Amino acid sequence: MIKKFTIMAAASLLMASCAQHKQTASTNEIALVQSWDKTFKQSDKVSHKKVTFKNQYGITLAADLYVPKTDSAMAKGFPAIAVSGPFGAVKEQCSGLYAQTMAEMGYVTIAFDPSYTGESTGEPRRTASPDINTEDFLSAVDYLYQLENVDKERIGIIGICGWGGIALNAAAQDLRIKATAAMTMYDMSRVNGNGYFDGQNSEADRYAARKAWAEARTNDLKNGSYAQAGGVVDPLPADAPQFVKDYYDYYKTERGYHERSGNSNDGWRTTGCQAYANTRFLYYINEIRSAVLVVHGQEAHSRYFGENAYHYMINGKADGYDFVRQPNPNPSNKELLIIPGATHCDLYDGGKNNFIPWSKLDDFFKQNLK
């Protein structure tokens, strides 16, 4: 039951057994890897360097900063974009690809590791929180806001997979965010509380999950270590759902594997996503006045997250949302784009058919960061 409510919601079916993972003392001293260890090729059109910044919870985040090799920025500076996701991935995977590609188009960008993951600090490792993860995006905006070569009035964000929903939550909070793209998004609070396709949306199911979490926390105390729930299942069962096969094809093969990625390795702590299950954190997205682009693949198992979030953002009500609120005050700058033939993971790196709509993203940010 734990796997249904936590690990499945971490953008994969994680069916591996729970290994024990010893924690080390928390530190703000980060020894960042300086060599190019990304899952994508380095571009010669942008400059790149590792940077760090703190969020308001005192956690030091590690990020990759990409700057166009051009002097074409207006006097006020470059438009800028912060990128993160997917949930359980690291900046060396597709968020870095998005950041580097958008930098090639003329934006100063950062791709950051969320708190408790990748090269960022925070203990215990592989922990998630609606509040802290939203703050991670706000602190990334803080970082961009202070750069001399960035126009403070032209900052946007891109969230991928679970970070697509987190991006919407951040946009509802921070008026400095002028444009938001949510790519192949998950609603992490919905999937953790209701299960996939709302298949465990009952008090009895949630009670069983809470019981399992309580037992897991007690066992962690007894053992003096934190159980990890396992990354994307390996070896892959023959009868695995297609979207699990898609996750395997990205996270467990040369295409997207990275040694610091939870999804590629031992996953989240067994209780690491517990906070999301007791939260509905997209409550105010119907009040977002800034521009929003929601992009999903036509064949994505997660498509219902993006479509429902979009309709709730516009109308104040939608399938899967138990609350009904007022319609959006500025619906004209909101857009839902469905990519024909694309699956969930195709929007991670483009897949075999280059499904990421780069020109659309560029047009969207150019139109709304001006």
Side-chain angles (χ1 to χ4, degrees), residues 10-326:
S12 54
L13 278 175
L14 308 178
M15 306 176 215
S17 61
C18 296
Q20 295 298 317
H21 179 68
K22 294 288 185 180
Q23 301 300 304
T24 58
S26 178
T27 177
N28 285 331
E29 297 296 324
I30 306 178
L32 299 175
V33 174
Q34 296 299 331
S35 60
W36 187 263
D37 63 345
K38 321 298 186 194
T39 59
F40 51 93
K41 293 181 179 180
Q42 186 170 13
S43 171
D44 60 3
K45 299 178 182 178
V46 304
S47 62
H48 160 265
K49 70 174 181 178
K50 289 286 191 73
V51 299
T52 61
F53 53 92
K54 283 189 177 182
N55 67 19
Q56 292 194 19
Y57 291 94
I59 298 169
T60 301
L61 302 187
D64 287 294
L65 174 68
Y66 299 92
V67 179
K69 289 182 178 179
T70 175
D71 57 1
S72 63
M74 298 175 62
K76 292 187 298 182
F78 287 98
I81 302 172
V83 190
S84 197
F87 200 82
V90 289
K91 63 188 182 304
E92 287 74 25
Q93 295 171 310
C94 59
S95 63
L97 172 64
Y98 271 76
Q100 179 175 263
T101 305
M102 297 308 294
E104 289 179 330
M105 297 179 185
Y107 305 84
V108 170
T109 64
I110 54 171
F112 64 89
D113 284 331
S115 297
Y116 308 103
T117 67
E119 292 185 295
S120 293
T121 64
E123 297 287 344
R125 304 303 290 166
R126 307 276 172 75
T127 298
S129 160
D131 292 337
I132 295 175
N133 293 152
T134 300
E135 164 60 21
D136 288 343
F137 249 138
L138 305 191
S139 63
V141 172
D142 289 341
Y143 178 83
L144 292 173
Y145 196 86
Q146 296 179 80
L147 294 180
E148 292 183 359
N149 61 346
V150 165
D151 183 344
K152 297 173 176 29
E153 297 302 317
R154 296 196 294 161
I155 297 176
I157 60 176
I158 297 174
I160 307 160
C161 189
W163 278 80
I166 297 166
L168 294 182
N169 203 48
Q173 174 63 31
D174 193 338
L175 300 186
R176 299 172 302 172
I177 298 171
K178 298 301 192 292
T180 301
M183 309 297 296
T184 195
M185 71 160 280
Y186 266 51
D187 178 341
M188 295 307 302
S189 59
R190 179 177 177 182
V191 75
N192 272 285
N194 297 359
Y196 269 106
F197 313 111
D198 299 322
Q200 291 87 42
N201 186 19
S202 71
E203 186 275 340
D205 283 319
R206 280 184 283 272
Y207 182 85
R210 291 163 185 156
K211 181 179 179 182
W213 272 317
E215 293 173 352
R217 294 179 75 108
T218 299
N219 288 334
D220 285 346
L221 290 171
K222 291 178 180 178
N223 295 329
S225 59
Y226 295 99
Q228 301 297 117
V232 174
V233 60
D234 188 13
L236 185 69
D239 61 350
Q242 183 58 48
F243 75 95
V244 178
K245 296 178 181 178
D246 292 342
Y247 280 131
Y248 183 95
D249 186 55
Y250 181 79
Y251 285 110
K252 303 297 288 188
T253 71
E254 185 178 353
R255 173 184 169 193
Y257 176 85
H258 197 277
E259 62 182 359
R260 290 191 294 276
S261 169
N263 293 344
S264 291
N265 296 285
D266 60 355
W268 294 90
R269 283 193 305 121
T270 301
T271 58
C273 301
Q274 186 176 10
Y276 272 100
N278 204 41
T279 303
R280 291 297 175 267
F281 77 143
L282 300 184
Y283 186 80
Y284 290 114
I285 63 172
N286 66 305
E287 297 180 359
I288 298 174
R289 299 187 185 185
S290 58
V292 175
L293 173 65
V294 178
V295 182
H296 241 103
Q298 181 183 36
E299 304 303 321
H301 70 281
S302 53
R303 177 177 168 181
Y304 72 104
F305 290 125
E307 289 182 326
N308 289 174
Y310 170 79
H311 291 300
Y312 171 71
M313 180 169 52
I314 295 296
N315 302 313
K317 58 183 178 180
D319 292 343
Y321 289 82
D322 297 331
F323 31 85
V324 176
R325 307 193 69 248
Q326 68 272 21

